[in-house]
Amino acid sequence: MTELIPAPRAVTAAPGEVRLTAHSRLHAGPGAEGAERWLRTTLGQATGLPLREGREPDGTGTDGIALRVDGRLGPEAYRLVSDARGVLVEGGDAAGVFWGAQTLRQLLGPDAHRRAPVRRDRTWTVPHLTIEDAPRFRWRGLMLDVARHFMPKDGVLRYLDLMAAHKLNVFHFHLTDDQGWRVEIRRHPRLTEVGAWRARTKFGHRASPLWDEKPHGGHYTQDDIREIVAYAAERHITVVPEIDVPGHSQAAIAAYPELGNTDVIDTTALSVWDTWGVNPNVLAPTDNTLRFYEEVFEEVLDLFPSEFVHIGGDECPKEQWRSSPAVQARIAELGLADEDALQSWFVRHFDTWLSARGRRLIGWDEILEGGLADGAAVSSWRGYAGGTAAARAGHDVVMCPEQHVYLDHRQDGGPDEPVPIGWVRTLEDVYRFEPVPPELTPAQAAHVIGTQANVWTEAMEDAARVDYQVFPRLAAFAEVAWSALPAPAERDFADFERRTVAHYARLDALGVAYRPPGGPRPWQRRPGVLGRPIEGPPPHR
């Protein structure tokens, strides 16, 4: 089983194999204890092998596994050697050891991804080989939107495991939007008491006549969040929270009407939004709003130790600001040119606030409008242009252009695709995505700190629908983010497709409801539910 995904940098095969048995031992050196716990639990459940504590291989011959940190390797890099002495996984740091352990699990075959043994009499073998591997990017992300359709905590933990299996290391947690507020804020309890629930939900695209008439919602308690963050950390995944400002905020305004533009709309009449699209109800740029969200972010910082905090900043319509005498007075008071400059002022306020607390702001590329916030990083979603401009200005960038890595976009142009949204983005399209624009100089390209696939869940009503949209394309994205691939046109998609055949068996063992290569299964279709397909190829830039 050497059909590895993502592809390692170098593999050297040799005759022979290591056999793991009930007598095999597992040893971890200093710094590798976390990978040892994960490996003993995960492989122990799947294989039924006890993998008792052992000693480091000494060259006398063993069938055991040894884990250790070797500082001569780079960050997150690993070396896996399987030979007559057993299996040795060395990492440049604890994360590198863990990624090597993930590779070891793939080498053991798809049944190593199960939660209990399928056959007690099977033989577990690792072929003799040497693997040298390291990631291309330090930010290899997946954004999951739980605001539009809530995913219970166990589903989130499952997705962290799926990320780890693909060597992804940043979980962008989209926690708030017009359709729901998902994180407990103790100082402002109505955010979840009111903002976490909507009375009904549009089924399909916003133009669909269909409704799901039952209430929808849910939220994570602060202890749930701490559990999620700790679970992710054990898998060397950083959780980056997103709290949307100043747009995408109707759920918050429904809970606390004073946050909205009360002089142009009766905010007390607003409820949590039950449909999709760009919402006109945005935050009022008042001192009260700033203090309110500072108090929100104080609790968020206590829950999430990540370097970056995402503030959204996207799709903020300016109509209410243009119509509001209070907002126009605020613009004049601040000496700003217009509403775009007001949004930039709003973003800069939280950039300064977060920087003073040792954190970094990241936002969608709309934060470039009206001037780039000092020290802010950019999630470039509207193509490459925003990320390119930010990189040239010396700001860090995460490339996640909609036309390439929005996994809510449809995977095929066929009539059976469920709720078809956006452009067709096939497995091959994702595999040929290149995060670094070629027009950047090497110094500018160094500001592209990574890439991210985004999963917006308006048309994904449950975990099975999320699985269908995400997989197998996330496997292709993971290889783009991790592996040292050639230029897009030169990538060997046929080889990736061959390896994906083996990967489907792993996904089956993990219980992933992926899209089969031949098209959706009958229960994966949504006949009669209106989507919003866009025909033709997407714009490249």
Side-chain angles (χ1 to χ4, degrees), residues 53 81 112 153 170 182 191 205 234 338 345 367 413 427 475 512:
E53 173 65 31
V81 179
K153 181 190 67 178
V170 177
R182 305 295 179 214
L191 286 171
H205 183 253
E234 290 173 353
D338 54 22
W345 167 84
I367 67 173
L427 185 67
V512 177

Side-chain angles (χ1 to χ4, degrees), residues 169-387:
N169 70 340
V170 177
F171 179 55
H172 176 168
F173 207 6
H174 183 80
L175 287 163
T176 74
D177 217 296
D178 301 301
Q179 296 85 1
W181 185 286
R182 305 295 179 214
V183 55
E184 176 191 17
I185 302 298
R186 291 175 177 167
R187 206 172 311 181
H188 301 295
R190 286 176 59 83
L191 286 171
T192 48
E193 291 170 0
V194 174
W197 292 92
R198 57 180 182 260
R200 63 175 187 169
T201 299
K202 177 67 71 172
F203 192 21
H205 183 253
R206 61 180 176 272
S208 167
L210 303 177
W211 293 89
D212 182 349
E213 294 290 351
K214 68 176 181 292
H216 176 86
H219 75 276
Y220 310 102
T221 68
Q222 293 202 356
D223 282 346
D224 290 337
I225 293 292
R226 291 186 179 95
E227 180 183 358
I228 288 167
V229 169
Y231 194 87
E234 290 173 353
R235 287 147 183 80
H236 298 277
I237 295 171
T238 299
V239 183
V240 174
E242 179 177 351
I243 305 295
D244 260 306
V245 295
H248 288 286
S249 298
Q250 183 161 319
I253 297 169
Y256 292 93
E258 65 272 19
L259 297 174
N261 296 285
T262 58
D263 58 343
V264 295
I265 185 174
D266 179 8
T267 56
T268 63
L270 293 177
S271 59
V272 178
W273 211 26
D274 57 12
T275 189
W276 320 122
V278 179
N279 189 300
N281 296 304
V282 301
L283 296 174
T286 64
D287 288 339
N288 175 68
T289 299
L290 296 179
R291 298 294 88 74
F292 183 96
Y293 273 88
E294 286 172 359
E295 291 169 355
V296 167
F297 280 117
E298 283 174 2
E299 296 193 29
V300 167
L301 296 191
D302 184 57
L303 296 170
F304 296 92
S306 56
E307 174 187 5
F308 288 97
V309 174
H310 208 291
I311 57 90
D314 64 316
E315 296 180 328
C316 178
K318 309 300 193 297
E319 286 79 7
Q320 288 186 358
W321 287 357
R322 293 188 185 99
S323 302
S324 165
V327 172
Q328 293 303 308
R330 183 69 154 167
I331 289 174
E333 172 195 340
L334 296 169
L336 301 174
D338 54 22
E339 292 77 18
D340 283 343
L342 180 64
Q343 179 167 346
S344 180
W345 167 84
F346 202 106
V347 171
R348 283 175 180 271
H349 175 87
F350 286 103
D351 180 31
T352 301
W353 190 91
L354 288 167
S355 295
R357 289 153 181 80
R359 306 298 185 94
R360 294 183 63 189
L361 179 147
I362 185 168
W364 303 110
D365 55 58
E366 282 93 333
I367 67 173
L368 294 163
E369 297 171 1
L372 189 65
D374 294 338
V378 169
S379 301
S380 189
W381 77 273
R382 296 181 299 179
Y384 289 88

